[in-house]
Amino acid sequence: EAGVTQSPTHLIKTRGQQATLRCSPISGHTSVYWYQQALGLGLQFLLWYDEGEERNRGNFPPRFSGRQFPNYSSELNVNALELEDSALYLCASSSQQNTEAFFGQGTRLTVV
Amino acid sequence: GENVEQHPSTLSVQEGDSAVIKCTYSDSASNYFPWYKQELGKRPQLIIDIRSNVGEKKDQRIAVTLNKTAKHFSLHITETQPEDSAVYFCAVRESTLGRLYFGRGTQLTVWP
């Protein structure tokens, strides 16, 4: 069974551009979480989607947004990129029945 | 929301010694407590978890203990090996929204 997959693995953008990151959860999982991990720091919660709806949002500006599709895959959009948005973006998925959350390999976003 | 504190932030031990990492949480209704290990450049991996109806769980050299009254849980690694070197994150799932909150992480270094 495939795990959580994220694309692209690496993304380089210039300041002011937009970035789109994608996440495919484990089959059967309906919840997708997004986290930002800046170099040397912990996991900062961004967004949580479940059953197609946004359930919770972390302390990030509105230019961080996303959505979840009917097949439960998810997209994270970051508008008006700033240098400090450079980080590893991780998504995790879990099911409603179980509580374990499994992470994807992450997308390394670099803003220059 | 939930408030998760993790200590220590860094921990160095000699190979063969034990390592203990502790997390405290604020919401007494939280019901699920996983631990993740993140090796350099890799995704966080679930290594052990415990639910609120259990006080202790063990898996070979790692164990987790939960004290619901005091609202803290700990990760215990015995007979540490250099490959145990990584960042360890505790997490707490709150019972109301079901969101997963992470501690700030502990950098464990095991010296040969």
Side-chain angles (χ1 to χ4, degrees):
Chain A
E1 180 182 299
V4 179
T5 58
Q6 291 185 245
S7 63
T9 53
H10 293 85
L11 188 59
I12 300 175
K13 293 284 187 179
T14 55
R15 195 169 47 184
Q17 284 189 313
Q18 181 203 36
T20 298
L21 289 63
R22 296 179 177 84
C23 173
S24 292
I26 290 172
S27 177
H29 285 191
T30 61
S31 278
V32 172
Y33 301 82
W34 286 96
Y35 293 89
Q36 182 196 65
Q37 188 174 37
L39 194 62
L41 298 179
L43 298 163
Q44 304 301 313
F45 171 72
L46 274 163
L47 290 159
W48 171 31
Y49 293 95
D50 183 57
E51 296 280 4
E53 294 189 10
E54 183 179 303
R55 299 294 185 186
N56 203 211
R57 182 182 180 85
N59 189 25
F60 279 82
R63 56 191 188 81
F64 287 84
S65 65
R67 54 181 171 166
Q68 186 177 35
F69 300 98
N71 66 354
Y72 304 118
S73 66
S74 178
E75 199 173 84
L76 174 69
N77 294 293
V78 188
N79 293 320
L81 284 165
E82 300 178 1
L83 296 178
E84 50 265 35
D85 296 333
S86 296
L88 180 67
Y89 289 83
L90 291 159
C91 86
S93 75
S94 69
S95 68
Q96 287 184 329
Q97 291 74 33
N98 296 320
T99 50
E100 295 90 345
F102 298 93
F103 282 87
Q105 81 282 9
T107 293
R108 173 72 62 186
L109 173 64
T110 303
V111 183
V112 297
Chain B
E2 180 63 90
N3 181 32
V4 181
E5 293 192 2
Q6 183 173 344
H7 299 281
S9 56
T10 61
L11 180 59
S12 291
V13 300
Q14 201 73 32
E15 183 177 2
D17 288 349
S18 295
V20 181
I21 304 169
K22 182 177 176 179
C23 284
T24 61
Y25 60 99
S26 58
D27 185 355
S28 58
S30 293
N31 56 15
Y32 175 65
F33 310 90
W35 284 91
Y36 289 83
K37 174 184 180 182
Q38 187 177 27
E39 296 176 74
L40 191 63
K42 296 187 177 180
R43 73 186 80 185
Q45 299 266 24
L46 178 69
I47 55 171
I48 196 167
D49 57 11
I50 192 167
R51 288 171 170 77
S52 57
N53 58 346
V54 176
E56 183 174 358
K57 184 176 179 181
K58 192 173 181 179
D59 183 4
Q60 298 182 346
R61 295 187 299 108
I62 60 172
V64 56
T65 58
L66 172 65
N67 184 326
K68 284 186 62 180
T69 304
K71 288 185 282 187
H72 67 72
F73 59 111
S74 299
L75 176 70
H76 304 255
I77 306 174
T78 58
E79 300 172 31
T80 53
Q81 300 167 4
E83 50 265 39
D84 294 329
S85 297
V87 177
Y88 291 81
F89 292 98
C90 66
V92 176
R93 186 184 292 277
E94 60 171 2
S95 61
T96 48
L97 286 179
R99 176 181 149 180
L100 206 56
Y101 290 80
F102 282 86
R104 289 181 174 271
T106 296
Q107 173 68 62
L108 172 65
T109 303
V110 180
W111 300 100

